[in-house]
Amino acid sequence: MMAEGGGGPARRKALSLLEAARSRYESLQISDDVFGESGQDSSGNPFYSTSADSRSAASSQDEDDDEEEQGRLAVSSPRSRAARRRAPRAAATPAERRRQRQVCGGGAVPGGPGPMEEEEEEAESGGWTRSLRDVPPPHFKDASGPTRKMPLTASAMDFFQLFVPDNVLKNMVVQTNMYAKKYQERFGSDDAWIDVTLTEMKAFLGYMISTSIHHCESVLSIWSSGFYSNKSIALIMTQSRFEKILKYFHIVAFRSSQTTHSLYKIQPFLDSLQNGFDSAFRPSQAQVLHEPLIDEDPVFIATCTERELRKRKKRKFSLWVRQCSSTGFICQIYVHLKEGSGADGLDALKNKPQLHSMVAKSLCQNASGKNYIIFTGPSITSLNLFEEFEKQEIYCCGLLSTRKSDCTGLPPSMLNNSVTPQSRGQYRIRMKGNMSLICWYNKGYFRFLTNAYSPVQQGVIIKRKSGEIPCPLAVEAFAAHLSYICKYDDKYSKYFISHKPNKTWQQVFWFAISIAINNAYILYKMSEAYHVTRYSRAQFGERLVKELLGLEDTSPTH
């Protein structure tokens, strides 16, 4: 558990692990800023940019890596972050620079442990050295945030259609009707089928999206008489008509002769969605590459049968994202299919550095030359990838694992644990060019690789019981940004469309629609329209469903 954020009254002690985790996240005040679920809304950016003079309160996150790495990292409190945003970074005085050199060169940190005592080691190879130097942070001057100003009267549908406009929906209508016609020519006519219209397609999407709010066991529960029935929207379309549209629903009806990609049925929609993301939002400098929680809906896991769970485990694709760590906006999606016959298929590359390097390059293909700072997990972090990104003016900070990461080119002495007992906050650093390799101890060994933060700049982790734990700035920055993404994922999984189709392209489609709605809500929260209506994420989803269904009564129900 971490220090209380913002100096408010002390929270009551949590009675369970769930409550403990919730209190830990609430100290970040992220749910109020991004999701509007509870509490007062804080003004300004819900996150912060870590600076060199970091001395702040913190909240912790668990980072399980390999068998030795079982400590906790932490981030600073909202009050400290706000003060840091207001104060520009001052140039270090000669005395401060001497203190930093002392701290990083083997001296003790005032009030706490410092660098690890160096053991007798062989000379480092590959250009790695103990001599540390200050590295200036990557300069970032681009404006971040929404690219267009939405009117005060903008509706949920207006924000959603920034990513899924009418021309995309009209294409779904055309392709669905084409597929239905061809299907009936091959398998016999269907007298109950009539061509779908744009209004019906919007209603069809509305019914599907409603499952992300009410978490129905099945979308067909809307027309049932059970607990998940919803008579207020069931009257818009009959169940039999909905099932007909579901049967023939397509984004791309037929494969062209030039098409070889297995995502051909969904790729045009993904391309359109990506264009919408790029044109509607400019991300901040700090971003994270990760796999979002797409199979962790707690309602489904608690209610599904063993057979349904086995089907869930047969998912034939992996979904990765590049996500802005200041707002939670997902900037880019990458879908990798399980194609065992391909040389670069998921079967051939699973749990191998080649797959994760390919994923990272695909997600960052539009990030060159912008001085972004990319945070990565152990599966992506590697020296070769970071050096390649640096040539493209993309800077990185990643957690290393001797078991999961590609450790090629790293000094073996930094990958082995010290035989001497260590104190919390002790660390060793090696440097090669602008790249720093950090081994930091906090109830376990954590290793970081970065070229985005100077090794001579100090951060701090503040814990309720242990007080201040010194660390390099890169460690504090990593904990801060990854803690935010963990909080986003907790909310993100709650609002996934619950419909679970068997076809892979349909699974990808509904996941993508869920991401688009979350992004739409983030833009809504950053717009002036939010100050008029102030919808929570659940209310925003309900409003969108009613607008898609064409209902006149669009007031939120809770």
Side-chain angles (χ1 to χ4, degrees), residues 313-331:
K313 294 179 181 179
K314 295 180 181 179
R315 181 163 53 86
K316 297 180 179 180
F317 66 94
S318 59
L319 178 67
W320 297 73
V321 299
R322 175 164 58 89
Q323 190 168 11
C324 172
S325 66
S326 295
T327 60
F329 190 95
I330 290 180
C331 310

Side-chain angles (χ1 to χ4, degrees), residues 193-218:
W193 171 256
I194 56 175
D195 283 353
V196 66
T197 64
L198 178 61
T199 300
E200 287 181 314
M201 184 59 69
K202 288 183 178 180
F204 173 76
L205 291 179
Y207 283 123
M208 288 296 192
I209 293 171
S210 70
T211 66
S212 68
I213 308 301
H214 304 290
H215 300 287
C216 304
E217 296 179 0
S218 167

Side-chain angles (χ1 to χ4, degrees), residues 21 42 72 105 128 137 148 220 228 234 248 259 261 266 273 284 295 304 306 330 332 368 381 393 426 471 486 496 533:
S42 59
R72 284 185 177 177
W128 293 94
R148 67 187 73 180
L220 300 181
Y228 291 105
Y248 296 118
T259 302
H261 200 288
I266 189 67
L273 197 63
S284 63
D295 279 339
C304 69
E306 291 185 6
I330 290 180
Q332 191 160 350
S368 298
T381 302
E393 297 181 346
Q426 288 188 310
C471 63
C486 287
F496 263 123
T533 52

Side-chain angles (χ1 to χ4, degrees), residues 174-187:
V174 172
Q175 296 295 325
T176 298
N177 289 333
M178 288 175 57
Y179 181 79
K181 180 179 179 181
K182 200 70 175 180
Y183 183 93
Q184 293 176 51
E185 289 177 355
R186 182 175 180 181
F187 297 104

